[in-house]
């Protein structure tokens, strides 16, 4: 986690664009057209390819759609576009067999390729019965593998947290270990059959679950000498800044430790808009290749598969403890809305040894404060203050910080000084833990970008990597060249929320639309947000269909799911409360459902 290098994998042949660690990290997206609409699908595939995608995936519900995928592929080749196409299969092995004969890669979901659609039922199996289920999987996969081998078709085993089978959930729970076992059952068959053109994805709308699942999968593959490439993505990430930041936090954390060979940033927007975000993320992470080496080791007791949060000592209840803080480099007057920073940086006034302060929002006046900001060069231990801040570069030798063991009123601010931002910050924090220095640690990252998307991607990837590894009692996101400091503050809070460390607004779990979507997703998401965005204590799912909807919404409080064209089903948690209601009535009925359960607050 300290020094960047790609994980070594086998090469997977996908059309004319091989995948794996010997090749650049690939970017992909997915159409939202009906695969039965040949012309519209061809045009959208061409637009996605023109935006810079290396692969394009299409919804393939049945044999007819699979056959149409072959026609779409032929027409694209006729027009000079040879981007590989991927068939997206759920529930229908016959469609997978048909697609394997006409396309470049077939995605199947271990949660529903052989197992029936989950009903959230608890099932009991004897060991013999469970082995019989594994044999059923084996027998169904072998003909599919043979057909893929014959036609040179690659396979993606795509596990979604929201579509684990009842069989897996009954034995392992709706957990990251369950996701891992779901795919390993299939991988063992592919290995037995000596078929290596396999890519794996482990996706969830919960970033923490997604990152844990991928890390556990790599450990499980290593234990069985498997080295297949990884497809990374946060499913149902949403749109706008939330979708970009949530994706950057999850995908960026894994890419920062060298994992990932192809990525998709899933946004509830036109698919062409996903590609530039993904390319920025790839370019940013891979730019650190060959960075100056970072010395470091994991602190005692650290588990890289399931990191536990290091919480610094609490100082006057303001710094340290359960809730990470946010520091802003602006004045309170520049911040609007409910997401207010806890502290503001101020460089006015004067006191012994420093003229910089980090001032609690509750006492900010723009004048001198009793919370001075020091560096090692001007540190004054005699300065009397209930809270003092010390800012140091990440490469600071630990022996220069040992005096902090005896300080109970100092918060340490760590600034990166290596192009591998997250690696150098983590190395120092691990050293602090081993040295017994328990002061709170704030991550101070500065970016020169004036472009919002670049800022979201860089800050999300860097800060997310550290936070998801359990390090950091707060963040100070600095963007001096960015015009709107209120937005910068919003990005800081969005990063903490994506890492599941601090919730400050309603969390919307919305899928990227695809050919299965039963309504205009972008318009609907905005309407649901307008009606419920003040309910900051809730998670609300807006899902285009039932493939992943109910499962991903197991983590949501309420759900709005496409049931048929013009028809919506409403959920509370995993339970469907109202089925097939008219779309025109759905939002008022959603509000009524929230009120009935006592979760509504007037705006």
């Amino acid at each position: 986690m300290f020094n960047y290098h790609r994980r070594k994998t086998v090469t997977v042949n996908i059309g004319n664009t091989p995948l794996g660690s010997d090749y650049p990290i690939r970017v992909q997206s997915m159409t939202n057209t009906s695969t039965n609409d040949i012309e519209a699908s061809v045009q959208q595939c061409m637009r996605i390819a023109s935006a810079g995608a290396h692969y394009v995936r299409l919804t393939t519900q049945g044999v007819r759609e699979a056959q149409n995928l072959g026609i779409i592929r032929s027409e694209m080749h006729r027009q000079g576009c040879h981007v590989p196409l991927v068939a997206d299969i759920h529930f229908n092995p016959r469609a997978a067999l048909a697609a394997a004969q006409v396309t470049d890669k077939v995605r199947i979901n271990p949660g529903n390729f052989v197992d029936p659609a989950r009903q959230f039922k608890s099932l009991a199996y004897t060991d013999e019965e469970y082995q019989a289920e594994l044999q059923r999987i084996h027998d169904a996969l072998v003909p599919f593998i043979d057909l893929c081998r014959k036609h040179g078709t690659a396979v993606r085993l795509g596990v979604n947290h929201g579509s684990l089978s009842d069989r897996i959930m009954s034995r392992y729970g709706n957990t990251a270990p369950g996701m891992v076992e779901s795919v390993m059952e299939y991988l063992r068959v592919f290995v037995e059959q000596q078929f290596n053109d396999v890519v794996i994805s482990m996706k969830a709308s919960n970033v923490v679950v997604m990152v844990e699942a991928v890390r556990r999968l790599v450990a499980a593959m290593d234990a069985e000498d498997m080295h297949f490439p990884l497809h990374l993505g946060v499913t149902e990430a949403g749109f706008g800044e939330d979708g970009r930041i949530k994706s950057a936090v999850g995908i960026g954390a894994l890419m920062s430790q060298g994992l990932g060979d192809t990525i998709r940033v899933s946004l509830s927007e036109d698919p062409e808009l996903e590609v530039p975000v993904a390319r920025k993320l790839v370019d940013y992470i891979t730019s650190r290749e060959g960075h100056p080496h970072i010395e470091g080791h994991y602190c005692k007791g650290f588990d890289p598969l399931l990191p536990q949060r290091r919480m610094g000592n609490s100082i006057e209840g303001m710094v340290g403890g359960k809730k990470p803080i946010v520091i802003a480099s602006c004045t309170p007057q520049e911040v609007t809305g409910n997401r207010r920073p806890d502290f503001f940086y101020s460089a006015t006034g004067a006191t012994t040894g420093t003229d910089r302060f980090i001032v609690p929002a509750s006492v900010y006046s723009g004048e001198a404060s009793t919370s001075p900001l020091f560096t090692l060069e001007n540190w004054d231990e005699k300065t009397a203050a209930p809270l003092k801040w010390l800012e140091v570069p990440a490469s600071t030798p630990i022996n220069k910080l040992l005096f902090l063991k005896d300080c109970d009123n100092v918060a340490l601010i760590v600034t990166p000084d290596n192009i591998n931002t997250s690696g150098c910050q983590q190395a120092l924090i691990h050293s602090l833990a081993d040295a017994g220095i328990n002061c709170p640690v704030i991550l101070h990252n500065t970016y020169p970008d004036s472009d919002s998307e670049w800022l979201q991607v860089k800050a999300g990837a860097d800060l997310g990597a550290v936070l998801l590894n359990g390090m950091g009692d707060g963040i100070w996101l600095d963007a001096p060249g960015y015009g709107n400091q209120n937005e910068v503050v919003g990005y800081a809070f969005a990063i903490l929320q994506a890492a599941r460390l601090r919730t400050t607004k309603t969390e919307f779990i919305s899928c990227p639309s695809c050919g299965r979507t039963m309504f205009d997703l972008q318009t609907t998401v905005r309407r649901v947000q307008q009606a419920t965005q003040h309910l900051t204590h809730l998670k609300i799912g807006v899902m285009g269909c039932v493939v992943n909807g109910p499962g991903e919404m197991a983590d949501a409080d309420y759900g709005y799911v496409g049931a048929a064209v013009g028809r919506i089903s409403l959920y509370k948690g995993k339970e469907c409360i109202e089925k097939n209601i008219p779309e025109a009535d759905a939002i008022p009925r959603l509000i009524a459902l929230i009120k009935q359960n006592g979760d509504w607050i007037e705006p």
Side-chain angles (χ1 to χ4, degrees), residues 193-219:
Q193 296 295 307
Q194 298 182 339
F195 185 93
N196 292 322
D197 283 335
V198 181
V199 185
I200 310 158
S201 66
M202 310 285 279
K203 294 190 177 183
S205 61
N206 182 326
V207 170
V208 176
V209 172
M210 171 262 193
V211 169
E212 180 190 348
V214 172
R215 289 173 172 168
R216 286 185 180 275
L217 171 65
V218 171

Side-chain angles (χ1 to χ4, degrees), residues 556-570:
D557 301 292
Y558 295 92
Y560 180 113
V561 181
V565 176
R567 294 281 165 170
I568 306 298
S569 293
L570 299 179

Side-chain angles (χ1 to χ4, degrees), residues 249-294:
V249 168
I251 300 172
L254 292 168
M255 288 180 66
S256 295
Q257 66 180 96
L259 303 179
D261 304 284
T262 178
I263 71 170
R264 181 196 176 189
V265 172
S266 299
L267 302 176
S268 302
E269 302 175 21
D270 294 337
E272 305 95 295
L273 299 180
E274 297 180 347
V275 179
V277 188
R279 291 190 72 96
K280 285 183 174 72
L281 189 51
V282 170
D283 290 346
Y284 182 58
I285 298 297
T286 57
S287 70
R288 60 191 61 174
E289 289 179 349
H291 65 78
H293 182 76
I294 299 168

